[in-house]
Amino acid sequence: MAKATAMLSLFLSLVSLYLIIANGVSSFEEKKIFNLQILQRKLQLDTQGCLLPESRRVKCAIILEMKDRGHCSEKKSDWNRRLKKQLILDDLRVRSMQNRIRKMVSGHSIEASETQIPLASGINLETLNYIVTIGLGSQNMTVTIDTGSDLTWVQCEPCMSCYNQQGPVFKPSTSSSYQSILCNSSTCQSLQFAAGNTGACGSSPSTCNYGVNYGDGSYTNGELGVDHLSFGGVSVSNFVFGCGRNNKGLFGGVSGLMGLGRSYLSLISQTNATFGGVFSYCLPTTETGASGSLIMGNESSVFKNVTPIAYTRLVPNPQLSNFYILNLTSIDVGGVSLQAPSFGNGGIIIDSGTVITRLAPPLYKALKAEFLKQFSGFPSAPGFSILDTCFNLTGYQEVSMPTIRMYFEDNAELNVDVSGIFYIVKEDASQVCLALASLSDAYDIAIIGNYQQRNQRVIYDTKQSKVGFAGEPCSFT
């Protein structure tokens, strides 16, 4: 009897040891190393001049280099002040989107072949959004990409009121292919669906006027026009865009905005015959020299993904048909699946123009609690703007932090890159924050921001109505 008890005790001990080891391995596999020292060095060395993104053709694809929009700043502003302003603007954008969604749902009107394009971070132009360079007529324009907007627009001369931009303003008078759109055209009459306002008649001669208002008080007003769009050696005739005569706001130094939404006026819809309604991007980090790409067309052979592409369907919503909406099924932190009442009301929007991912309050609360449970032993720091979970990591060369994965219908997953988990507020790492935030209202629709999409190949297939994800370290190529 004693021998049997001893054997049972030994067996249970071995089982316990096995579970401890297994759990230890699992825990190790579900963490990522965040190197603070290397990142700080890269931030301090960010003194390069302005090199605009370029484009090229590879096989059947057009590749547009993409950078963070701040990449072309004339001078470096105070780091902390700049980041705070960026998050304030991001919060205003999200609030504006939620208001726009409510109005769309309620039915009330709102006033207001393949190619790869270089895509860049725009941090030095005082934004955390991304820029590419395109050709309109014979002029090059640097624009912010935005999957949450439809109308592409640039500042135009003569300009009644324009913000300061780097590089020349578009001059319709010097383009032999530019034409104004008339207010009695079908394009003008259908403007409300794409730009959120009804096309109005101008004074000379009956041009189609547009107006788009953004949540931070920024706006663009002008006339609709057509011209040749070009990038990477491909030219698209009769491209409809906004010629902004009265523009104000915090757009940085870019020429305007590229609308990658789903309405008929978006760049994707207008180039459907050329690129088949398919585009993808890999968003780089804000580090010096980091460069991603916007690829027009379905040429996966030019991707540099290191994991297989997994697709999830777009959730149909006739009232919000301009947005890309996915069905978020679960989130795990460090391999632990979160327990929350709901993972999204009517789906979650994936948006290149929103910076920080917003989750429903109960889901964010569960994520925050699990993250703090696993990332313990580090001193806390005050919250920063919309970010309420911050740490003082001064003196640490690197830290091990929990992974964050988002799962979608059809077993697609977004494995958030290490650069998309922490937001460095202070360069000495005395204030480093979890880079996710809560929605203010539980009934608002959740949004996946560009910060959590870094170093991922995100593929949008509007014909097949699906979005795909694959890991791609584009910041380091």
Side-chain angles (χ1 to χ4, degrees):
M1 183 70 178
K3 184 176 181 181
T5 302
M7 290 294 291
L8 178 61
S9 177
L10 177 61
F11 173 75
L12 291 175
S13 298
L14 290 172
V15 170
S16 298
L17 180 60
Y18 171 79
L19 290 175
I20 291 171
I21 293 173
N23 287 335
V25 171
S26 175
S27 176
F28 176 77
E29 290 176 344
E30 297 300 331
K31 289 187 179 292
K32 294 184 176 182
I33 300 300
F34 188 65
N35 195 310
L36 291 153
Q37 192 175 44
I38 291 177
L39 182 58
Q40 289 168 333
R41 190 182 306 127
K42 288 181 177 179
L43 293 173
Q44 291 163 0
L45 292 174
D46 190 10
T47 57
Q48 67 179 23
C50 178
L51 298 174
L52 293 179
E54 299 176 348
S55 61
R56 66 187 187 277
R57 185 164 190 159
V58 178
K59 297 183 179 180
C60 295
I62 299 296
I63 303 176
L64 289 86
E65 183 186 4
M66 180 164 56
K67 298 176 185 278
D68 179 278
R69 193 168 79 185
H71 167 80
C72 286
S73 177
E74 294 180 355
K75 61 181 180 179
K76 295 276 286 183
S77 60
D78 175 73
W79 176 266
N80 190 269
R81 179 191 63 82
R82 186 175 63 187
L83 292 187
K84 191 167 187 176
K85 183 172 75 170
Q86 289 166 350
L87 290 183
I88 290 173
L89 297 181
D90 195 48
D91 191 41
L92 290 171
R93 174 189 170 89
V94 169
R95 294 186 187 187
S96 175
M97 285 181 66
Q98 299 296 345
N99 288 334
R100 177 183 167 197
I101 288 168
R102 290 190 192 102
K103 291 178 181 179
M104 292 171 74
V105 171
S106 67
H108 295 138
S109 63
I110 307 170
E111 297 299 325
S113 157
E114 299 90 9
T115 299
Q116 177 171 342
I117 310 170
L119 181 151
S121 167
I123 187 69
N124 296 332
L125 292 185
E126 303 207 343
T127 179
L128 287 174
N129 290 321
Y130 293 86
I131 58 173
V132 296
T133 298
I134 59 174
L136 282 175
S138 60
Q139 303 166 59
N140 285 336
M141 299 283 115
T142 300
V143 292
T144 302
I145 68 161
D146 188 1
T147 59
S149 297
D150 294 279
L151 181 67
T152 296
W153 61 269
V154 296
Q155 296 200 113
C156 283
E157 287 189 359
C159 197
M160 294 181 293
S161 175
C162 279
Y163 59 85
N164 292 327
Q165 74 172 58
Q166 291 191 25
V169 172
F170 181 75
K171 297 180 180 180
S173 60
T174 65
S175 176
S176 59
S177 51
Y178 177 84
Q179 290 184 342
S180 296
I181 290 179
L182 300 180
C183 70
N184 60 358
S185 67
S186 58
T187 299
C188 188
Q189 296 303 313
S190 304
L191 182 61
Q192 180 175 355
F193 184 67
N197 69 284
T198 304
C201 291
S203 56
S204 62
S206 297
T207 54
C208 178
N209 289 353
Y210 78 92
V212 179
N213 298 306
Y214 299 94
D216 59 4
S218 303
Y219 59 81
T220 174
N221 299 309
E223 65 181 43
L224 284 189
V226 296
D227 209 331
H228 294 305
L229 170 71
S230 61
F231 34 58
V234 170
S235 180
V236 179
S237 301
N238 299 318
F239 178 71
V240 180
F241 67 100
C243 197
R245 311 283 188 180
N246 185 4
N247 318 292
K248 181 181 179 181
L250 300 164
F251 298 109
V254 299
S255 306
L257 181 144
M258 176 192 284
L260 297 175
R262 302 179 70 186
S263 87
Y264 83 102
L265 271 186
S266 77
L267 183 142
I268 303 308
S269 296
Q270 291 193 62
T271 61
N272 182 66
T274 306
F275 304 121
V278 179
F279 71 99
S280 69
Y281 54 64
C282 184
L283 303 180
T285 63
T286 59
E287 298 163 4
T288 301
S291 179
S293 63
L294 169 65
I295 297 181
M296 305 298 298
N298 191 19
E299 183 58 71
S300 59
S301 65
V302 300
F303 298 167
K304 298 179 181 179
N305 53 298
V306 295
T307 62
I309 301 170
Y311 286 94
T312 182
R313 74 180 181 97
L314 287 168
V315 176
N317 188 328
Q319 295 173 308
L320 302 177
S321 57
N322 292 24
F323 295 105
Y324 298 96
I325 304 176
L326 312 178
N327 184 18
L328 178 68
T329 57
S330 65
I331 297 179
D332 74 43
V333 176
V336 177
S337 183
L338 300 181
Q339 302 299 314
S342 172
F343 285 92
N345 297 308
I348 186 168
I349 293 173
I350 182 167
D351 181 29
S352 69
T354 297
V355 179
I356 298 296
T357 292
R358 306 301 208 284
L359 301 173
L363 181 54
Y364 175 73
K365 183 179 179 181
L367 184 147
K368 174 182 175 179
E370 184 60 37
F371 192 91
L372 287 172
K373 179 180 177 182
Q374 297 186 34
F375 194 73
S376 59
F378 297 96
S380 63
F384 183 77
S385 186
I386 59 174
L387 307 178
D388 63 6
T389 307
C390 303
F391 308 90
N392 183 348
L393 301 181
T394 303
Y396 290 93
Q397 292 188 1
E398 62 182 29
V399 294
S400 178
M401 61 183 177
T403 59
I404 296 179
R405 289 189 177 91
M406 300 181 182
Y407 296 91
F408 305 91
E409 188 176 343
D410 304 319
N411 296 317
E413 72 174 64
L414 173 60
N415 185 358
V416 179
D417 185 70
V418 64
S419 64
I421 297 178
F422 274 150
Y423 190 96
I424 303 247
V425 177
K426 294 185 177 179
E427 291 179 86
D428 64 358
S430 62
Q431 195 175 16
V432 177
C433 302
L434 179 63
L436 296 97
S438 174
L439 289 165
S440 57
D441 191 318
Y443 295 98
D444 286 341
I445 189 165
I447 303 171
I448 302 173
N450 64 47
Y451 210 81
Q452 282 65 50
Q453 298 177 52
R454 292 173 165 190
N455 289 321
Q456 307 282 336
R457 176 59 58 182
V458 185
I459 305 100
Y460 296 76
D461 188 334
T462 61
K463 280 260 180 99
Q464 299 295 322
S465 193
K466 62 183 182 180
V467 169
F469 298 99
E472 181 174 325
C474 58
S475 295
F476 314 107
T477 58

